[in-house]
Amino acid sequence: MAKNTEIQNIPLDKFRFAKGRDLDHDSKFDTKPVSYFQGAFRRFAKNKGAVVGGIVIAFLVLFALIAPFFTPFTPVYYDQMYSYVTPKNNWFAENNMGFWDGGKQKNVSYLGFIKDLAIAQETGRDVIMGGKYEETTDKDGGKLYSYRYDTYFGVGFGKYKTISKEEFEDIQRYQNETGRQVLYPTVKISDRPTLEKNKYDANIYYKMENPKASIIRPKVDAQGNVIANYWKYEAGDVSPLIPEYNSLRIEGENGFTENGKQYFYAYGRKVDGGIEVRAEYYEYYIYQHTQVIKDGIEEPTFWFGTTETGKDIFACLAYGARFSFVFAIGVAVFNFLVGITWGSISGYYGGKIDLTMERIAEIMGAIPTIIVITLLKYHMGRSSHVLVLLIAFFLTGWIGTAGRTRMQFYRFKNQEYVLAARTLGARDARIMFKHIFPNGIGTLVTGAALTIPGMIYTETSFTYLGIINLEAGSITSVGTLIAAAKTSITANAAYVAVFPCMFLVLLMLSFNLFGNGLRDAFNPSLRGTED
Amino acid sequence: MYMFKYVTKRIALMLLTFFIIFTMCFVLIKLLPIPTNVLPGQDPEIVAKTLEGRGWITNLREGKNGVWLYDRVPILEQYATYLKRIITQGDFGIATTYGEYINMPIWEVFKSHLPPTILINIYSTLIGVPIGLALGILAALKKNKWQDQLINIFIILLISVPSVVLALLIQYVLCFKLGWFPLTMSTSDAYFTWPVFRSMLPAVFALCLGSIAGYARYTRAELSEVLTGEFMLLARTKGLTKSQAIRRHAMRNSMVVIFPSILSEFIGVFFGSMIIEKMFAINGVGGLYLNSITFQDYDFFMLLSGFQTLIGLTAAIVIDISYGFIDPRIRMGAK
């Protein structure tokens, strides 16, 4: 024995690995050990579709988080005048790119064409974009015009607007300061069309062939231009109805002379409660938002266009996406926690507990979502539909995760290492969460992540079906937009549907690719089997 | 004998689940205030008497200002009456608030809405399943070649595009832009005439694209797994040609899982997609369900909820049981 104890006194550096003979396999690995997650990551990175999916998801989340900061518009904002205006980006519009400039192809008859031409003539705007139009004759001999039409400037003047005296003066001040023409000469009451539907149309400033007609046909001069029919008065002979006006006047009119007399145009008409004016809506909008409301909107430029009610689609989509993501991720996390707890208990203990818990989950899972949501909606009466959705998802959302967790537990609970842990005295909770659970975590997290697009989709469907109405709570979601897009199809404004649909499709597609990649990465043996 | 026991047990369990869900629905509905609102042109007395006659309220008496007072009947008692009527008379109640069907027997209204739903779903199944199977088989046989890649892209696209978007796209392109079909389904009930059939087609397309993708994916996964089985090698070794081996061994084995889902698809035809029905204004069960929710017509809601639950449960159980018949080794849900 004494001989053996001497070994302890051999200095450490005298020890060497035995070389030669057949002992080489004792040498250390040169390669680095690859952990489970590293391996999973490697496998994931090889799957190009999944990586692209991941990038797209990141981009969409980023859009949802950041985009609301880039737009002064909010989902609450709406402007009926600008309903169904097409997507516009100032850079594209200024450089005449031919798209994304607020334009829209229009094929109209002569009357429609002359209306747009009249607005263009008076305001000098590019209502008919680039001034280019094609004239064709149809088989009945009628003329057809096709051109790109500016949906923003085409709004023109809208209806006559009655504003207060203070506002009238403030607009004059604004006009003098900025040199932008908001107010245009008005038309004498007796010169306006007589029918109720045309009476308030401020776009009709020209001489008409028949003011009593239901469809107004303007008189035109030799060049085919409309003839302005402004309310004019002789210098020194002002009607008491005409308010004082000391500001920009339209081009060519600075007290013009006719038959040796000096005339002025009237820029408003005194009525009960203020002054009735013809204001070009585009400029008036800018004035309103920069001077009066001051909400940060500088110009009506809607990147994704507007809906029927004049809501900005970009803002709605951005806020809606943000809501959808926050909502879905929140619910997914909660359901994940509940699901793994339920599933672990059910799977680990097995037997009667498992049977009971399985039955409960099975029954809960068999109730169609529509019943859950409808009953909740009935019972919760006036409370917000967000809450209804939230509770509905909490009630049934965990079942999937619970089932998957249970499967994982059944897979691992009879393994030798679990037996070893139990033999060494580990308590149930330790075995469950320290020994079994980490083995299944990849599959489980993937499963939970994949419920996110499912929830967004469910929410979209129910909003579309009209069972859930988030707009009531001034919250918007992608589903609200898609429901609104339905009517836009027949109004020939398909772009309303394009962006929300694209968002949804991209989201589902990238989540599918990403999820499949993750599952394959975590579970190489499942590769290729898809469900 | 064992099979019989297994099937009975599964069906009994399913009925139990159904009964629990149905009861839960009934109780939750009955906890809501009784809809005693009187529509224009309705006599309040008749409304109150109807409710009493249905067994929902009792001790009806006239109070001041023509307001009818009543006591509520215990919910379980109501439930007993309700079930008794259903079982003995097939009476599911009458519509009380659903505008266009007021005072009509719910069961009759429901029956009249079944044909469009069933027809559209059957057409879509008849188109979707064969195409889906064919694509899936092709993809599995040409695994990792360009055909497979192409079909895969097609599948993942169709599965990812939500049916709302797909239906919207079909409606926009086929119905609005190209004008091949009417925008919505014809309201006529001459279902087997060309104009009505034509108006159904966009909905059928929207529905069947989903099932094409589903079956193609399913078949591809199943068949490619079976093709790698050892018995395939054995079949080739004993002298079968490749196509013989595929037809006699691979196809049959992959059908073990595919066939049940086709069966359940046919059960599912009774309750179609509400989204598609709304999009194409189909006068079917889904639309009825949605309207009954909006009108808060509770008896309608009960019938349709029960029906939908039953269809869902039956479809699931048909899958499980037919597994057992096709491949006796499989006992879903057995120990």
Side-chain angles (χ1 to χ4, degrees), chain A residues 371 378-379 457 508-509 512, chain B residues 28 160 162-163 278-279 289 293:
Chain A
I371 297 181
Y378 284 163
H379 276 275
Y457 178 52
M508 304 300 269
L509 193 64
N512 265 340
Chain B
L28 285 171
S160 306
S163 61
K278 190 180 157 94
M279 183 77 76
Y289 197 17
I293 290 173

Side-chain angles (χ1 to χ4, degrees), chain A residues 443-474:
Chain A
T443 324
L444 295 177
V445 169
T446 313
L450 282 182
T451 59
I452 292 173
M455 261 182 289
I456 295 180
Y457 178 52
T458 311
E459 182 263 316
T460 308
S461 307
F462 280 98
T463 316
Y464 174 74
L465 291 176
I467 294 173
I468 288 292
N469 180 12
L470 295 174
E471 237 173 4
S474 84

